[in-house]
Amino acid sequence: MYRLSFLILLSGAVSLTALAQGNYEIQVYGSDTVSPGSTMLELHSNFTANGQRAVVDGVYPTFHQEHETIEITQGITDWSEVGFYIFTSEQNGHGVQWVGDHIRPRVRVPDSWHWPIGFSISTEIGYQRPVYSPDTWTWEIRPIIDKAIDRWYFAVNPALERTWHGPDARHGLGFAPAAKVSYDFTQKISGGIEYYGDYGRFFAWDPLHDQQQQFFVVTDLNVSPQWEFNFGVGLGATASTDRLIVKGIIGRRFSWRRQREID
Amino acid sequence: MLTRRSLLQAAIGAVTNVASAYTPVDQSSDYTIDIAPHSLEVAPHNFVQTVAYNGQVPGPVIRLQVDKPVTLDVRNQSGSEEIVHWHGLLLPSEVDGAMEEGTPMIGPGASARLKFVPAPAGFRWYHTHTFAGKDLKKAQYTGQHGFLLIEPRDNPGRYDAEMFLALHDWKGQLLGGSDGSLMVSYDVSTINGRVLGFGEPLRVKQGQRVLFHILNSSATDVHWVSLAGHTFEVIALDGNPVAVTRQANMLRLVPAERVCAIVEMKNPGVWVLGEVRKHIRAAGMGIVVEYAGQTAKPTWIQPQTLDWSYEAFGAGPLPPTDAIDVPLVFRSKFTGHGDVDHWMINGKSFPHTDTVKLRSGARYRLLFRNESLNDHPVHLHRHLFAMAECGVLKDTVLVPSKQELAVEFTANNPGKTLFHCHQQDHMDAGFMMLFDYV
C-alpha cells in the first residue's frame, strides 16, 4: 500500500503544483485480517534513493529520505482488525522526525460467506505534520480484493482518498489504486510486481505528467506463519514520482491467547 | 412367514435408535440402495443439497450375517457416475467398490447388482469412492455413507441397546492452511446429519448398557468425541474386537475409522455427546443423550486435554516374523499457495505410483514413513492389518506427521488392492497406490 504517500501526493499532484512525496508504507494489502487475540507488528523501511531534491511549498525534499513506519495491527474478530501507524522520517540535516499517525479499522467478508474471492474494506484516518504534507488531516477508504490461483496471486486495492484539512480539502475524492501479481517459485519464495498509482481527482484525472505511477519488483519470503518479509525496488514512471525507492517490510505475529488443543 | 429379510427389517426397527429401516424394493435382491440427490436439513432452515442413500443421511443400517451370501441392487439416480465401497470387508476386487481395483462404475441412471459373501463379522460401513477434486459437494463430502453391521454367528450381546452415530462435516471450502497450501475447512459439523440440539435426542434408561457404533465419515477431518458424565468401554476398533477392553474418557476417530464402545448409563440426566474441541462442537457436532424421565438443559463437561492411543487396546508388539518389508514414504509436493498439495508415495503420485506385486499367502510388513507436515489416515482395501507396535487389528490407521508406523498383513485375498489416504483431498491429489497378486 502506498497510503500516506498517496495522501501526501494529493497535496502536490491534486493541486497540480507541489511534488511532495512521502513513501511511508508501501504495501498492497491482502484481504485477510489478523486473527482475534493476535497482534501483527510490522516495520516498513523505505529509502528514496532518487527523488525530489528541492523544498517545495515548505515540504521537505524526499531525496535520500529514510522512512521508518511502525504498524501495529490488532485482530478483533474473525473478520475485523484495527491498525495503527507511527510514521517517522530520517534525513541529513533534519534528523529523525515524527511525521504523523494513522488509525485504520478493517473488516472482511467472513469465510462462511464462501465468496470466490477475498474481500475486505479498510478506512484510514490520520494526521501528518505540515513539513511533510500540507494536507494534515486525511481520510481513505480502501476496498481490497485478492485471489490465489495455483501458484499465482492477484490483489487489487482501488483506494479513494479525501483531504479534510489542507490545500486539497476542496478537491474532493482522489483515486489511488494499487495492485499486485506474484508467483510462488517455491513454498517459501514468491516474486512479482506491485503497482502504485495516483490519478488525482476522481473522474477528473491529472495529466499523466502529474500522476503518480510506480512499479516495484518484489519478493515475499514465506518462511513461517509468524513472520512476514517483503522486499522490493520501485521505479517511478512519471515526472511527479520518486525515481527510485527501495522498500522492506518485516512483520512478526504475536498471539496473546494460549491456543489449547481443545479449542 | 418369517424370512431372513423380514427378520433383518424387524431387527433394524427394534435396535436402531437413529437410522430408519431399510426397505428392499426388488424381490430378487436382499437390498436396494438408491443413490439420489437429497436436501438435508442440518439445522433449522439450514439445508445442505447433497447426494444420499435411500433419501436419508446417514444411509440405512444394513445388517448382514457373516458368511451368508447377499444380493444388493445399487441404483444410481444421481447425475454422476457412482460406486459403493464396502469398507472393511474382505471382498473380491470386482465388487469391493473401487474403480482402481476394477469394480465397474455405475453410470447416471444405471443400476448394478452385487453379490458377495460378507466377512469378517463386525462394524463396517459403506460409502462412495469417487473423485471430488476441488468440488467439495461430491464424493465423500456428500451424504453417501451408511452403517454396515456384519453379524457374527454367535453374538454374546452384553448390551441392552445399540446406537449408530456418524460424524460428518458439511459446507466445505478451501482456505489457506497452516502449511501454506489450501486445506478444507467446514461451516457445519453434525452427528447423524444434524447439529447439536436439532432433532431427536438419544433416549436411554438408567442401568442400560448401550453399545455405540461410531463412525467418522468426514471426508477429511479427525474427530474427538466424549459423552459428558460417562465413560466409554472400547470393545472394537474398525469393527475388530480389541485384545484389551478399556475405559476411555474420549474417542478419537480419524476419517473412516469406527469405534464400538459400551456406555453404562448410570448417571441420570440430560447430557451432551459431542466433539471435544470447542470450535467443532460450536459448528454443531453433538447430540443430546436423554435419560427417561429427565428434563433439563443438556450438560456438557469440557475435557481439558485430548487423550487417545491405539496401543492401550493392544496385546503388545507383534512377535517377530519373516514378513517381507514394503517401505512406503509419504511426501507432499507444493503446487502453489492457491492450490492443494499433491501427494506422493515413494516419490510418485497416482496413477503413476508403482503397483507392488505380492505373493499369495505371504506375510508383508508395510513400513510407513510420513515425511509430510500432515497426518494421514491410510486405508488398505480388502484386507485387515495388525499394528506392529500393539497388535491392534484395523483397516485404517493414522500415520502422524514426521513419524513412522508399521503394520502387517497376510496376502490372502488375491486381486488388485487399493491403498490410499482416506482424506478425500489427499487421495484425489495422488495419495493412492495398488498392490496386486493372483
Side-chain angles (χ1 to χ4, degrees), chain B residues 13-285:
Chain B
V15 301
T16 60
N17 188 298
V18 292
S20 65
Y22 183 86
T23 307
V25 295
D26 185 331
Q27 290 301 311
S28 60
S29 71
D30 296 301
Y31 298 99
T32 300
I33 294 176
D34 285 321
I35 304 169
H38 178 66
S39 182
L40 175 69
E41 190 173 19
V42 292
H45 312 297
N46 185 357
F47 290 84
V48 173
Q49 304 306 320
T50 187
V51 178
Y53 294 144
N54 293 17
Q56 63 183 77
V57 177
V61 176
I62 296 179
R63 289 174 179 267
L64 304 176
Q65 197 70 36
V66 68
D67 294 333
K68 281 205 169 183
V70 63
T71 303
L72 301 103
D73 285 340
V74 179
R75 301 192 304 208
N76 181 10
Q77 299 170 50
S78 76
S80 308
E81 282 195 318
E82 273 299 342
I83 196 167
V84 179
H85 171 49
W86 308 92
H87 189 120
L89 295 190
L90 314 182
L91 299 181
S93 304
E94 303 80 55
V95 292
D96 181 54
M99 64 166 290
E100 296 82 2
E101 295 174 338
T103 309
M105 298 291 283
I106 306 169
S111 299
R113 171 158 293 181
L114 309 177
K115 295 182 179 182
F116 58 77
V117 180
F123 177 33
R124 316 298 169 188
W125 67 302
Y126 59 103
H127 63 88
T128 182
H129 208 283
T130 51
F131 178 84
K134 291 180 182 173
D135 185 348
L136 307 189
K137 294 180 178 176
K138 294 185 77 71
Q140 199 55 43
Y141 300 106
T142 69
Q144 293 179 83
H145 54 268
F147 309 104
L148 176 61
L149 199 66
I150 311 301
E151 302 272 18
R153 289 190 184 83
D154 179 24
N155 186 350
R158 294 185 300 107
Y159 50 85
D160 304 302
E162 282 179 292
M163 294 183 180
F164 292 83
L165 304 177
L167 318 176
H168 204 74
D169 301 291
W170 306 91
K171 296 193 174 183
Q173 62 181 319
L174 290 167
L175 297 175
S178 56
D179 64 354
S181 298
L182 294 182
M183 298 178 77
V184 184
S185 177
Y186 300 94
D187 293 348
V188 178
S189 298
T190 62
I191 294 181
N192 288 345
R194 285 186 159 79
V195 301
L196 177 60
F198 181 53
E200 291 296 304
L202 302 175
R203 302 186 198 283
V204 301
K205 295 174 183 171
Q206 186 172 359
Q208 265 188 330
R209 284 169 59 83
V210 176
L211 173 55
F212 284 98
H213 298 289
I214 305 178
L215 156 71
N216 183 356
S217 59
S218 174
T220 59
D221 279 11
V222 60
H223 287 301
W224 303 74
V225 291
S226 75
L227 172 54
H230 299 76
T231 57
F232 296 101
E233 180 189 0
V234 176
I235 63 169
L237 297 178
D238 290 355
N240 310 302
V242 294
V244 179
T245 60
R246 280 186 188 277
Q247 296 290 326
N249 290 322
M250 67 185 68
L251 311 174
R252 187 198 68 187
L253 297 100
V254 303
E257 277 190 326
R258 289 88 66 211
V259 175
C260 299
I262 291 175
V263 176
E264 194 172 341
M265 296 297 169
K266 56 183 182 183
N267 195 0
V270 182
W271 303 97
V272 172
L273 187 159
E275 235 286 358
V276 174
R277 291 167 300 172
K278 296 176 182 176
H279 71 284
I280 300 177
R281 200 173 59 259
M285 187 165 281

Side-chain angles (χ1 to χ4, degrees), chain A residues 206-224:
Chain A
D206 293 335
L208 185 62
H209 176 276
D210 295 327
Q211 291 180 9
Q212 306 294 312
Q213 303 286 348
Q214 201 159 33
F215 296 88
F216 279 78
V217 177
V218 297
T219 183
D220 293 282
L221 306 180
N222 311 294
V223 295
S224 160

